[in-house]
Amino acid sequence: MHFVVCAKQIPDPETPPAAFRIDEQSNEVVPAQGIAPVLSQFDGMAAEAALRVKETAGDDTKITVISMGKESAQAAIKQVLAMGADEGLLLEDDAFEGGDSYTTATVLSAAIEKLGDVDAVFCGRQAADWDMGQVGLGISELMNWPGSIIASDVQVADGKMSVKRVLADGFETVEVPMPAVVTVSNELGEPRYPKLQQIMQAARKTVNTMTAADLGLDASSVGAAGARLKLERLFIPEVGGDCDMIEGESPEEQAQALVAALREAKVL
Amino acid sequence: MAALVDGAPEPQESSPIPGQGKPARVRFVGAWWAPALALSGVGLVGAAEAQRSNAGREIFFNIEQGWAVYALMAALVGLLAYGIVRHATLWMIGKPTPGLLGEVPLRFRNALRLGIGQEKVRRDPYAGIMHTCIFFSIVVLTIVTAQVAIDDDLGLHFLQGDYYLFFSFYGDLFGLIGLVGVGMALYRRYFDDLHRIRWDERVEDHLIIGGLGLLLLSGFLVEAFRINVTELEQHPEWAKWSFVAWGLAEALNVIDLTEGQTLTGHVWMWWGHIVLAFAWLGLIVFTRLDHIFFAPVNAFLLRTDSPGRLATIENIEEQEVFGVGQIQDFTWKQLFELDACVRCGRCSEVCPANVAGQPLSPMHLIQDLKAHLASVGPDIQRAGHEEGDVRAVSPLAMTGEVIGDETLWACRTCGACMQECPVMIEHVPTIVDMRRYLVMDEARIPASAQQALENIEMRGHPWRGTTLERTTWMEGLGDVPLFDGSQEYLYWVGCSGSLVERNLPVTQSVFRLLREAGASFGVLGQEETCNGDPARRMGNEYLFQILAQQLVETFKAKQVQRVITNCPHCFNTFKNEYPQFDGHFEVLHHTEFLVQALDEGKLTPRFALDESMTYHDSCYLGRMNGQYEAPRQIIEVIDGAEFTEMKRTRSKGLCCGAGGGNMWQEEVGERRVNHVRTEEAVGTGADQVVSNCPFCIQMFEDGIPSIQPEEEGRIAAFDIAELLERAVLGPDGAGSDGARPAGAGAEAGTGASSTGQ
Ligand code: SF4
Ligand code: SF4
């Protein structure tokens, strides 16, 4: 079998609030100084899910990790390689810049198409930067493969994928024919810690790069040019709070004053 | 290089405060030989004197076939040789032990004072007296026996005259001393139920101590029977010199034996004594009595550098196995050590994990490894010989099955075990070696520890989820100079000092004190990263090496020469471990700098603090680096401070529970170590527990509400710098920020704005 894990490199979600800055002119997040970007945590879990299936399915299963991004995204790819993925593929092109979930899904689908023999695609439930949660389903749509989202467990047997999905009030297990797309949630568990041997092997592996042209994509269909979503304004909302002390001699009086104040504020 | 006395370097020789230096502790190093030497001197004089006096006795009196003794002796020597070969073949399955050829004079000194001088044995006074009695007794009685042999075999006949009388006297004296020791040992073993020596009791223990008791008693009886039929009749005034045997000989008279019966009794006793003696010595080969040889050798093999330094894995990228997964992955010295363990339980008695009922007892760990070596070692040795698959020999995974993961993770690397071990076993490197295997080879780590390691990899610090920046602490402090190579000191704040809320005030206190003292210093601000200590202690040597190499480069590029650290872990790593990466810096922990500044009059405690306090020694400033005095000297100069020591203190101090990566782990076991230690601090009745380590302070703050649920009257945890700041600058810091222009004391540097970036 051949699995694909989609991995995105994102600004560190643990960037201290004081260091998080936005350029309101260009509507962009200013990369925080000295804080390295990281692999989106859900993508690490997607890799973990793929690796667990590979462990039960046997060694002839190959895992390719794909990332669309800049050169620096190599680090995210290497991280998944160190966990045990077999090959890495970086989709890098200036034309990919400024896209949205749709163009990302377009580019990733083209790459999956190019790989040819893919049996399953594992994505994180959402990228931990924009939290859109669209790309996985987008790939499923574009490939016309069944897609299951927010999985806490993934099993593969007899050409079928069985997915335990997290619902608001419990779990459901669905079974879909492969090839299929699945997005993985944190309920699956922490990604494994790589063995040093694998880290060193991963460091020696070369990551192939493909551009829009390699994928046979027209520059107008990807990146900012192909995006269907327009970002109007990016800003950090002002979160303010005021505190009024309720006066009163006794608790009863205080309670009455509080009720009065809440009525006045039209809360009650 | 400071000598390793207690397994830790000597406390700094030069006391920063004149007149407050430690009084030179006179040590009777290896004083054991003094009586022996004196006795042999007396022996020589006695030999000369023998011409004049005619006291003496017939050697092998009443004994035929005396030659049989030499046959027994030959058998014993053969047995000992067999024992050594049998052990040595097992040790040799280990890897080479690097660095054993350095510091040979120091090694000999260690063998003398720690091995033969038994310095560590005396850390427990009762056991010290007991063991010293037994040891002296055996040494002197061996000399006594040797003199008898020499007198007869070499035909010197010096056991005559006054010396013979004196010889009789001290022979009896040391026999009696030996019996006192045996008595103390018997008491411990049979009347003290909970004694640590019974935590792993075996049949051999009864044989050893019972055997020795009988040996000494039978010796006296042989003498008594001889004296009864000889000296008592012919020279009663000689007999009295053998004062114990003389008493017994007189007692024999009460039984009223015939001379023939007494002579027969003597023969039986004599042979009984001789056979018992050789049998007992034969136990050396089969029991822990082998420590007679292994302890001094292990003292010789003891590391000569700081116990705070872990060994590097050289050429880590070329290793096939990372760390120690199987017994043969240890060095032969580590295997040798296993055989030296005497099951005394001292290590487990002081081990914080064991004290808190967590799944680690260093004694059992060492014994389990020893048993494993004995069980699979021979097969591994054979497989290695026949070039078979050595790694397939053991049916058990050593790391993980013989020694469980949870045992390895419970270790705080606090070094208390190594500090106490009377035979100088080094547990920490052995434990960390196995952790290295868990982390790097098997990638099997508790989830919480894994998060800390991943965080170090991703973010350069172990504090996942912190919302602080490395510059947050600078807010409100005025100009904080960045280090640019022109200043004398780099003030290294460390991850905890900048990213953990509770530790920020400590960093600020140190900063204000540095400024007040007029020190020339700068900080790295955003450029600081983890120096790798947690990674190394959690077993990720690879990550540590990367971080250490990077930081050494940074320090060199910035021309750092002297570093002041907030944290004893940073201190230890820079001081003891960075030299392994060619990073040689002069490193001071802030307590050391502060005590110097006080001494030089650069800081003056002007405000009295009417507070009662106790002091907690952090493991990495204390045991690992031998610095116990500086913090106490600081407390001493503070007016009004009322100081009480905890029961476990200085080199016997109990770890706060955070070391060895346990800061970031869920604890398993009956209790939490910080609760135990907090209880001890609370037990002193002090208002404050003062320490010098960001982890200790966090652990106390975490433990206090559990130990003192009532908020009223709770003990408070402070860093020594916070305390001193209050004494120097007053409760609200007015002494500095108010009375002086901010930054007046600091040398020029690129000012970092207080808002960071
Ligand atoms: S280093 Fe400390 S925690 Fe670890 S075994 Fe020794 S005494 Fe126990
Ligand atoms: S390791 Fe050392 S301290 Fe621990 S039981 Fe053995 S001899 Fe005693």
Side-chain angles (χ1 to χ4, degrees):
Chain A
M1 280 184 292
H2 186 184
F3 298 159
V4 162
V5 172
C6 300
K8 184 181 183 187
Q9 192 181 45
I10 60 167
D12 189 347
E14 289 207 11
T15 303
F20 184 73
R21 294 216 180 2
I22 273 174
D23 181 354
E24 296 201 15
Q25 241 63 54
S26 61
N27 270 353
E28 275 173 6
V29 177
V30 184
Q33 198 198 341
I35 298 180
V38 300
L39 171 70
S40 173
Q41 65 200 76
F42 297 113
D43 296 350
M45 289 151 191
E48 177 65 33
L51 285 163
R52 286 187 196 172
V53 174
K54 174 176 169 158
E55 271 161 8
T56 51
D59 274 345
D60 51 347
T61 302
K62 184 167 94 176
I63 298 180
T64 304
V65 47
I66 305 184
S67 184
M68 187 189 90
K70 301 208 180 89
E71 175 66 23
S72 69
Q74 290 253 12
I77 293 176
K78 292 262 163 152
Q79 196 175 330
V80 180
L81 288 176
M83 285 173 68
D86 303 282
E87 284 176 15
L89 175 59
L90 176 66
L91 311 174
E92 187 192 8
D93 198 316
D94 289 343
F96 297 155
E97 298 284 312
D100 60 2
S101 305
Y102 176 72
T103 59
T104 306
T106 306
V107 174
L108 291 172
S109 304
I112 291 162
E113 198 91 56
K114 197 94 193 162
L115 290 174
D117 56 348
V118 174
D119 297 285
V121 178
F122 292 76
C123 300
R125 60 178 281 177
Q126 64 210 57
D129 51 354
W130 289 95
D131 286 332
M132 298 281 203
Q134 301 287 313
V135 171
L137 277 180
I139 295 172
S140 142
E141 185 64 30
L142 290 167
M143 301 297 295
N144 204 14
W145 291 350
S148 332
I149 58 165
I150 319 191
S152 68
D153 189 29
V154 181
Q155 313 265 350
V156 165
D158 309 326
K160 291 197 190 89
M161 179 189 273
S162 137
V163 179
K164 186 174 173 193
R165 297 188 52 235
V166 183
L167 304 179
D169 51 359
F171 296 95
E172 78 174 2
T173 302
V174 295
E175 198 175 77
V176 294
M178 297 214 294
V181 180
V182 60
T183 76
V184 178
S185 183
N186 48 305
E187 284 82 354
L188 182 113
E190 287 288 314
R192 66 195 54 198
Y193 195 72
K195 297 181 179 179
L196 182 50
Q197 204 66 263
Q198 292 176 315
I199 295 176
M200 294 188 318
Q201 277 164 8
R204 283 194 287 271
K205 280 185 184 157
T206 46
V207 174
N208 297 323
T209 309
M210 283 187 163
T211 60
D214 296 334
L215 295 172
L217 289 170
D218 191 74
S220 64
S221 65
V222 294
R228 299 177 174 196
L229 197 76
K230 186 165 179 328
L231 181 63
E232 288 287 346
R233 182 179 167 219
L234 188 65
F235 64 101
I236 299 176
E238 293 276 335
V239 194
D242 249 341
C243 180
D244 286 329
M245 296 304 286
I246 302 288
E247 307 287 333
E249 290 292 309
S250 63
E252 287 78 15
E253 271 177 42
Q254 287 169 351
Q256 277 163 6
L258 176 61
V259 170
L262 289 173
R263 286 228 169 92
E264 200 176 314
K266 305 232 163 15
V267 180
L268 287 182
Chain B
M1 137 110 249
L4 279 181
V5 182
D6 297 319
E10 280 282 58
Q12 318 290 291
E13 291 290 310
S14 55
S15 163
I17 296 188
Q20 297 202 351
K22 265 196 342 166
R25 238 170 81 208
V26 183
R27 286 208 176 90
F28 294 98
V29 177
W32 62 275
W33 47 261
L37 197 68
L39 293 182
S40 16
V42 173
L44 285 178
V45 177
E49 282 293 303
Q51 313 305 330
R52 279 186 276 129
S53 159
N54 61 353
R57 72 164 159 107
E58 184 195 342
I59 308 296
F60 284 128
F61 157 80
N62 191 30
I63 298 300
E64 289 158 34
Q65 304 101 14
W67 52 268
V69 175
Y70 297 95
L72 284 171
M73 178 94 83
L76 177 68
V77 170
L79 193 62
L80 290 177
Y82 155 78
I84 289 289
V85 171
R86 196 184 57 151
H87 279 300
T89 51
L90 291 187
W91 303 328
M92 295 329 281
I93 67 172
K95 290 193 300 189
T97 310
L100 279 184
L101 295 178
E103 308 259 8
V104 173
L106 174 58
R107 289 180 185 282
F108 276 110
R109 277 204 302 281
N110 282 345
L112 274 180
R113 83 206 294 183
L114 298 171
I116 299 169
Q118 303 156 30
E119 213 167 78
K120 299 238 185 177
V121 180
R122 293 193 294 274
R123 287 175 67 86
D124 171 347
Y126 185 97
I129 294 171
M130 177 203 90
H131 194 269
T132 307
C133 285
I134 292 178
F135 171 80
F136 274 127
S137 168
I138 292 178
V139 167
V140 173
L141 292 181
T142 307
I143 293 172
V144 162
T145 312
Q147 290 181 70
V148 173
I150 291 168
D151 184 272
D152 185 53
D153 291 346
L154 303 184
L156 289 179
H157 304 301
F158 60 90
L159 289 181
Q160 289 174 9
D162 292 347
Y163 180 65
Y164 168 71
L165 298 178
F166 180 57
F167 167 88
S168 304
F169 169 73
Y170 72 70
D172 269 34
L173 177 66
F174 279 91
L176 195 61
I177 289 175
L179 280 176
V180 169
V182 169
M184 292 176 77
L186 290 173
Y187 178 80
R188 257 184 0 159
R189 187 160 294 284
Y190 299 109
F191 298 95
D192 191 344
D193 287 350
L194 295 172
H195 202 278
R196 56 178 162 75
I197 56 163
R198 309 197 52 195
W199 291 347
D200 184 3
E201 194 167 55
R202 304 187 189 171
V203 175
E204 62 177 63
D205 301 338
H206 309 291
L207 291 182
I208 291 172
I209 198 59
L212 182 60
L214 288 179
L215 187 57
L216 291 168
L217 281 178
S218 62
F220 277 128
L221 284 177
V222 175
E223 225 190 331
F225 274 98
R226 174 177 55 78
I227 289 175
N228 181 275
V229 284
T230 55
E231 288 172 13
L232 211 52
E233 313 208 323
Q234 297 128 25
H235 301 282
E237 72 284 3
W238 295 0
K240 286 182 189 157
W241 286 86
S242 308
F243 63 103
V244 178
W246 169 72
L248 290 172
E250 290 282 7
L252 279 180
N253 278 344
V254 178
I255 314 176
D256 198 19
L257 299 173
T258 65
E259 183 170 331
Q261 283 170 328
T262 313
L263 284 173
T264 314
H266 174 251
V267 172
W268 279 100
M269 275 297 151
W270 194 90
W271 282 109
H273 178 69
I274 292 294
V275 170
L276 194 58
F278 282 102
W280 192 81
L281 289 172
L283 287 178
I284 293 175
V285 178
F286 304 102
T287 68
R288 67 196 170 102
L289 213 49
D290 53 14
H291 77 275
I292 293 174
F293 298 116
F294 293 166
V297 176
N298 207 34
F300 181 88
L301 298 177
L302 178 68
R303 59 162 65 222
T304 52
D305 52 7
S306 164
R309 170 185 293 177
L310 290 169
T312 22
I313 300 182
E314 304 287 345
N315 305 322
I316 189 164
E317 310 207 333
E318 287 149 35
Q319 302 297 313
E320 276 163 27
V321 179
F322 304 102
V324 169
Q326 298 196 349
I327 194 90
Q328 70 274 17
D329 298 335
F330 283 121
T331 65
W332 64 257
K333 191 258 182 185
Q334 284 172 305
L335 297 181
F336 173 83
E337 267 179 1
L338 304 177
D339 280 336
C341 173
V342 292
R343 284 181 287 112
C344 67
R346 290 174 189 237
C347 52
S348 295
E349 190 173 44
V350 295
C351 171
N354 188 54
V355 166
Q358 298 182 1
L360 162 64
S361 156
M363 169 174 76
H364 290 97
L365 179 130
I366 295 292
Q367 284 297 324
D368 289 349
L369 290 176
K370 175 178 173 168
H372 183 64
L373 173 64
S375 97
V376 301
D379 287 343
I380 290 176
Q381 197 255 341
R382 220 165 296 127
H385 210 66
E386 293 157 6
E387 305 195 352
D389 184 359
V390 176
R391 300 201 82 77
V393 169
S394 171
L396 280 179
M398 183 186 74
T399 305
E401 289 182 273
V402 176
I403 306 296
D405 290 17
E406 69 286 353
T407 297
L408 296 172
W409 289 112
C411 176
R412 270 62 182 184
T413 69
C414 72
C417 46
M418 304 198 288
Q419 180 78 41
E420 295 309 321
C421 181
V423 298
M424 279 63 67
I425 289 172
E426 297 175 67
H427 311 66
V428 174
T430 290
I431 291 174
V432 172
D433 278 345
M434 289 188 278
R435 276 191 184 180
R436 286 174 170 176
Y437 180 79
L438 285 183
V439 172
M440 295 189 291
D441 222 286
E442 301 266 286
R444 217 163 63 226
I445 322 175
S448 44
Q450 176 175 333
Q451 288 188 355
L453 281 176
E454 283 171 347
N455 214 67
I456 296 175
E457 284 163 32
M458 288 159 71
R459 309 189 171 98
H461 66 79
W463 296 108
R464 186 168 179 193
T466 179
T467 56
L468 305 179
E469 287 186 88
R470 291 204 185 257
T471 48
T472 309
W473 65 270
M474 299 177 186
E475 281 163 27
L477 287 177
D479 265 356
V480 177
L482 286 182
F483 187 85
D484 59 9
S486 68
Q487 301 101 328
E488 186 181 359
Y489 292 104
L490 167 68
Y491 172 35
W492 178 267
V493 174
C495 304
S496 306
S498 59
L499 299 173
V500 177
E501 198 88 46
R502 170 60 187 98
N503 301 129
L504 262 49
V506 181
T507 305
Q508 292 165 338
S509 291
V510 176
F511 174 82
R512 289 199 198 94
L513 288 169
L514 286 170
R515 188 163 66 183
E516 174 73 15
S520 155
F521 72 101
V523 300
L524 285 187
Q526 293 284 23
E527 282 184 81
E528 273 197 14
T529 69
C530 176
N531 61 44
D533 161 78
R536 182 169 243 198
R537 279 163 180 80
M538 282 196 263
N540 196 334
E541 174 69 10
Y542 182 67
L543 179 57
F544 168 73
Q545 291 191 4
I546 292 174
L547 294 166
Q549 278 155 2
Q550 282 170 356
L551 204 51
V552 167
E553 286 315 308
T554 308
F555 277 13
K556 283 184 178 166
K558 296 207 176 269
Q559 295 173 315
V560 173
Q561 279 169 350
R562 312 174 89 185
V563 188
I564 298 173
T565 73
N566 251 357
C567 168
H569 295 262
C570 300
F571 167 72
N572 178 68
T573 301
F574 290 152
K575 182 174 168 175
N576 295 321
E577 299 191 323
Y578 274 27
Q580 294 169 323
F581 302 90
D582 201 29
H584 302 273
F585 313 102
E586 190 190 318
V587 191
L588 292 177
H589 182 261
H590 67 59
T591 43
E592 296 174 316
F593 174 85
L594 294 176
V595 99
Q596 270 177 28
L598 284 168
D599 168 40
E600 290 161 9
K602 293 178 179 161
L603 291 176
T604 327
R606 283 175 291 156
F607 298 83
L609 301 181
D610 291 316
E611 293 157 12
S612 63
M613 57 196 69
T614 185
Y615 176 73
H616 165 83
D617 290 277
S618 69
C619 307
Y620 275 78
L621 192 61
R623 264 189 298 273
M624 294 303 191
N625 288 289
Q627 182 54 275
Y628 304 108
E629 296 309 322
R632 288 179 172 80
Q633 285 167 352
I634 295 176
I635 294 177
E636 222 165 86
V637 298
I638 295 176
D639 235 15
E642 186 192 313
F643 181 60
T644 325
E645 289 276 10
M646 281 189 253
K647 207 157 105 213
R648 301 187 212 235
T649 183
R650 294 179 182 255
S651 66
K652 297 197 171 186
L654 184 73
C655 173
C656 69
N662 274 266
M663 186 77 235
W664 301 280
Q665 285 179 50
E666 296 300 328
E667 286 177 78
V668 279
E670 286 163 31
R671 297 197 68 191
R672 298 177 56 169
V673 174
N674 64 335
H675 290 182
V676 178
R677 188 54 167 168
T678 305
E679 214 164 61
E680 296 184 354
V682 168
T684 61
D687 310 329
Q688 296 174 8
V689 48
V690 181
S691 188
N692 54 58
C693 170
F695 298 132
C696 298
I697 293 178
Q698 288 182 59
M699 289 311 256
F700 278 119
E701 294 229 319
D702 176 83
I704 290 167
S706 308
I707 302 304
Q708 295 180 309
E710 292 292 319
E711 253 181 80
E712 194 81 9
R714 265 187 195 164
I715 196 168
F718 286 113
D719 189 278
I720 189 94
E722 294 176 290
L723 194 73
L724 185 63
E725 190 201 358
R726 274 187 277 138
V728 171
L729 302 174
D732 46 9
S736 168
D737 291 348
R740 267 162 232 260
E747 296 278 308
T750 337
S753 84
S754 58
T755 44
Q757 297 305 324

